[in-house]
Amino acid sequence: MTTFLSGIQPSGQQHLGNYFGAIRQHIASQEVEGEHYFFIADYHALTTTRDAEQLRENVRELAVTYLALGLDPERVVFFRQSDVPQVLELTWLLATVTGMGLLERAHSYKDKLAKGIKPSVGLFTYPVLMAADILAYDATDVPVGKDQVQHVEMTQDMAGYFNGTYGEVFVIPKARIPEREKLAKVPGLDGEKMSKSYGNGLWIFEEGKALKKRIGRILTDSRPPEEPKDPDGVLLLDFLSLFLDAEELGEWRERVRAGGAQAPGYGHLKARLIEAVDEHFGPARERRRELLADLGEVERILEQGAERARERAAATRDRAYRACGLRG
Ligand code: ADP
Ligand code: TRP
């Protein structure tokens, strides 16, 4: 039986880059045969967020975003990390078999130090918590981006140390990296990579005037529509390529390339993009509004997920406690 598990840190409103580069794949994965666990890593978020209201808001926003975009809580055990106390119990057990050297080699820790972030003990032991997240549910497959692969390898090491010391308690998981060609790289409004930290993003649920204004900001130049252009150099076409089918995209590209009286101006491309965004995200915007009007329902979904998660994690915790002598 394949058990998929992944987690995401709550980091505020998600943009098109997050959607096409991560969220869409997370949600599509529920179609694959197997068990699915997906959680909001709020304990991990505490290593970088110190604002209580902001954290609450980010967790709510992320839960609503995933549910609105189609995550199905019947098929996926969807929960909040901090609702499963067994994960912290396992974190301690793993910490006692993990050498300092392993954690000192973590790239993400070294990167954060290099950026001048003052490390807390929590930041240093972050990979141990992540290992507990994975091992608690006997996950076999962990879909993650490239930046998290080392953490999954460290999880394999930690599970190996524990199993080597106390017997076969933990299932050894493997990372699943999405094929690169399936991952769209989404440009920002300025043509650089779309990113929260560059302020060049387009929020997934933007609509109406605000959407029009954001799309209006997509970088263009002053060449007239009649002038033939290389479609690869037209940023608006990159945006359209995220939404249009190959046939329609091909037509727009051809018209841009040919120039002349039939060529679309940037205004036309922007209008088509607004329409395409509305079509793509319209139903999800509706669901989001419904969920926001009934946050009790969102809470119930997370609580139900947490119950299922706790059951599984408690069984693993009991196994581990017995193996190391904390219980008979
Ligand atoms: P941000 O800080 O901009 O939200 P993160 O670096 O936290 O982005 O990434 C969160 C997830 O979204 C990762 O899986 C990352 O690969 C994906 N992602 C972020 N920006 C983009 C982008 N511009 N194009 C494709 N994927 C992206
Ligand atoms: N550290 C991951 C990130 O920042 C989030 C995460 C926490 C995670 N625990 C996990 C991902 C377990 C996969 C499995 O993106």
Side-chain angles (χ1 to χ4, degrees):
M1 167 68 108
T2 310
T3 301
F4 295 91
L5 171 133
S6 199
I8 180 168
Q9 290 203 44
S11 61
Q13 294 187 335
Q14 306 292 301
H15 53 64
L16 288 188
N18 302 134
Y19 176 73
F20 287 105
I23 300 175
R24 194 171 59 161
Q25 285 70 250
H26 286 150
I27 294 176
S29 135
Q30 70 194 12
E31 307 298 335
V32 182
E33 186 75 40
E35 286 184 305
H36 296 272
Y37 289 84
F38 190 73
F39 66 92
I40 302 175
D42 53 353
Y43 276 144
H44 277 111
L46 275 183
T47 61
T48 47
T49 310
R50 292 277 155 80
D51 179 331
E53 195 35 54
Q54 185 70 56
L55 179 58
R56 268 189 284 274
E57 170 59 29
N58 287 354
V59 169
R60 201 163 47 229
E61 180 65 34
L62 199 67
V64 168
T65 296
Y66 271 79
L67 292 169
L69 290 168
L71 183 119
D72 176 2
E74 297 292 321
R75 279 184 283 179
V76 181
V77 182
F78 182 43
F79 61 103
R80 236 182 331 237
Q81 183 182 32
S82 63
D83 279 334
V84 185
Q86 291 81 3
V87 162
L88 289 184
E89 297 173 324
L90 289 170
T91 300
W92 179 252
L93 300 195
L94 294 171
T96 62
V97 295
T98 302
M100 294 287 286
L102 184 79
L103 297 182
E104 278 160 0
R105 283 193 292 278
H107 301 311
S108 78
Y109 176 70
K110 286 194 280 193
D111 289 349
K112 284 179 184 149
L113 284 195
K115 278 195 200 140
I117 294 176
K118 198 164 148 261
S120 62
V121 174
L123 186 67
F124 183 63
T125 57
Y126 174 125
V128 189
L129 177 60
M130 181 155 161
D133 285 328
I134 296 171
L135 301 174
Y137 311 101
D138 302 322
T140 55
D141 293 68
V142 185
V144 283
K146 263 209 312 246
D147 60 318
Q148 296 294 323
V149 170
Q150 193 195 24
H151 289 147
V152 180
E153 290 165 358
M154 292 166 84
T155 303
Q156 296 169 338
D157 290 339
M158 291 182 226
Y161 302 146
F162 195 93
N163 287 354
T165 311
Y166 297 115
E168 295 302 307
V169 170
F170 294 122
V171 174
I172 310 285
K174 57 183 173 305
R176 268 208 183 209
I177 313 156
E179 295 157 46
R180 212 153 47 114
E181 54 275 22
K182 286 206 190 134
L183 282 188
K185 194 154 160 242
V186 179
L189 305 181
D190 55 359
E192 299 301 315
K193 182 184 175 214
M194 187 177 286
S195 165
K196 284 196 194 81
S197 39
Y198 304 157
N200 62 359
L202 184 62
W203 177 43
I204 297 174
F205 296 109
E206 204 74 88
E207 61 182 315
K209 269 199 196 133
L211 175 65
K212 201 166 166 209
K213 210 164 143 200
R214 294 299 284 175
I215 288 185
R217 271 187 45 194
I218 294 175
L219 189 73
T220 54
D221 54 35
S222 54
R223 287 178 293 171
E226 315 77 72
E227 186 179 323
K229 301 176 191 71
D230 175 1
D232 287 338
V234 175
L235 184 58
L236 274 161
L237 288 169
D238 293 338
F239 276 94
L240 281 169
S241 74
L242 300 167
F243 295 96
L244 302 186
D245 61 40
E247 193 187 330
E248 188 187 342
L249 181 69
E251 285 167 15
W252 286 105
R253 283 174 60 90
E254 199 34 54
R255 289 170 61 198
V256 167
R257 190 198 316 275
Q262 294 309 311
Y266 293 134
H268 286 110
L269 297 178
K270 286 180 176 172
R272 180 67 189 104
L273 181 59
I274 292 170
E275 225 174 67
V277 172
D278 284 342
E279 270 164 40
H280 193 91
F281 291 116
R285 284 176 197 155
E286 266 320 299
R287 280 199 294 277
R288 177 170 186 275
R289 266 193 281 278
E290 289 163 16
L291 289 163
L292 286 176
D294 188 6
L295 286 170
E297 172 64 8
V298 176
E299 199 49 47
R300 270 190 298 282
I301 291 171
L302 290 175
E303 188 41 50
Q304 270 166 17
E307 248 171 63
R308 292 165 68 188
R310 280 194 294 266
E311 210 173 293
R312 185 67 174 265
T316 311
R317 189 271 320 267
D318 289 349
R319 220 160 59 223
Y321 271 32
R322 274 195 303 276
C324 67
L326 290 176
R327 296 287 181 278

